[in-house]
Amino acid sequence: MLSCPHYMDMSYLQYFALWADSQLEECAFEPSVLYLSGENKLIMYVDKIPANHQTSSRTDEALPNINIPRTDRSTDPTTEWLQEQLGALPTYAQFQEYQCCRGLQNSDILEDWKFTSSFYNRYYKSVCNITQKSITRLAVQVVLGIGKTSMSDALVAGRLAVLYSSGGPHESANVVQELQTVRDPPLGKSALLNFLESWEVAHPII
């Protein structure tokens, strides 16, 4: 099993790959960023999985005791302040759940995108109360724990949702219906984003 420290708590180990029965299996938790030490070194640890191990990314009790040296995440006070603002949001816990889950339905994906775009719009280029420094896009990505592509997708989707979803200035019954549709298997983020972008192309705002 391959693991790395969680970006919010470096003492918590999250796994991202599992080797079982001579096959590499993909695990449910996929961190978008692997944090390096101050020496810019990536050390990968491989450990045998206990016989009673449960494949779950939701509880640290199931993780084997892998001895990975603790490395401190950025001590930049601006980033730490931004992390505090994020943690204080009442919907942050739900956002964390979305990051750990696969198979999100359209309504959940929409809430995930809206949270990301809302946090970005609120804090990007704002000034940290402690350091008086401007918040960068990278800082927002780091505290949210998402990559560049995920951030870009969320910003595009958030903008389109504001325009065409329920209560938007260009509300569309088709878009509202699609965002509320439940499928098995779910449509997925990429397909839903493609739907929203295609709708914008087919129905330009004049």
Side-chain angles (χ1 to χ4, degrees), residues 7-8 35 73-89 92 95 115-116 118-146 151:
Y7 73 98
M8 291 184 61
Y35 287 85
R73 58 191 172 92
S74 174
T75 56
D76 173 36
T78 301
T79 303
E80 291 182 348
W81 175 83
L82 186 60
Q83 183 68 65
E84 292 176 0
Q85 310 315 303
L86 176 65
L89 296 176
Y92 178 50
F95 172 77
F115 181 93
T116 299
S118 175
F119 185 78
Y120 174 86
N121 292 331
R122 168 64 181 84
Y123 288 103
Y124 175 54
K125 290 188 177 181
S126 67
V127 177
C128 171
N129 292 343
I130 304 243
T131 64
Q132 302 305 311
K133 292 183 178 180
S134 180
I135 303 297
T136 65
R137 180 184 177 112
L138 179 60
V140 175
Q141 289 177 200
V142 168
V143 298
L144 288 175
I146 62 177
M151 171 71 79

Side-chain angles (χ1 to χ4, degrees), residues 72-181:
D72 293 332
R73 58 191 172 92
S74 174
T75 56
D76 173 36
T78 301
T79 303
E80 291 182 348
W81 175 83
L82 186 60
Q83 183 68 65
E84 292 176 0
Q85 310 315 303
L86 176 65
L89 296 176
T91 53
Y92 178 50
Q94 184 61 68
F95 172 77
Q96 288 180 298
E97 288 290 323
Y98 290 147
Q99 304 313 298
C100 297
C101 294
R102 290 186 177 182
L104 294 176
Q105 294 294 340
N106 290 351
S107 59
D108 296 325
I109 294 174
L110 177 61
E111 292 304 315
D112 179 30
W113 282 335
K114 287 169 64 176
F115 181 93
T116 299
S117 60
S118 175
F119 185 78
Y120 174 86
N121 292 331
R122 168 64 181 84
Y123 288 103
Y124 175 54
K125 290 188 177 181
S126 67
V127 177
C128 171
N129 292 343
I130 304 243
T131 64
Q132 302 305 311
K133 292 183 178 180
S134 180
I135 303 297
T136 65
R137 180 184 177 112
L138 179 60
V140 175
Q141 289 177 200
V142 168
V143 298
L144 288 175
I146 62 177
K148 181 178 180 180
T149 300
S150 295
M151 171 71 79
S152 297
D153 289 350
L155 296 180
V156 172
R159 176 183 64 82
L160 296 178
V162 168
L163 289 175
Y164 299 112
S165 64
S166 180
H170 300 277
E171 179 178 337
S172 164
N174 295 71
V175 173
V176 172
Q177 180 180 3
E178 180 58 46
L179 293 175
Q180 296 174 348
T181 298

Side-chain angles (χ1 to χ4, degrees), residues 18-34:
L18 176 68
W19 186 274
D21 297 327
S22 299
Q23 291 184 341
L24 182 64
E25 298 180 2
E26 195 174 355
C27 295
F29 194 100
E30 293 184 352
S32 58
V33 178
L34 297 181

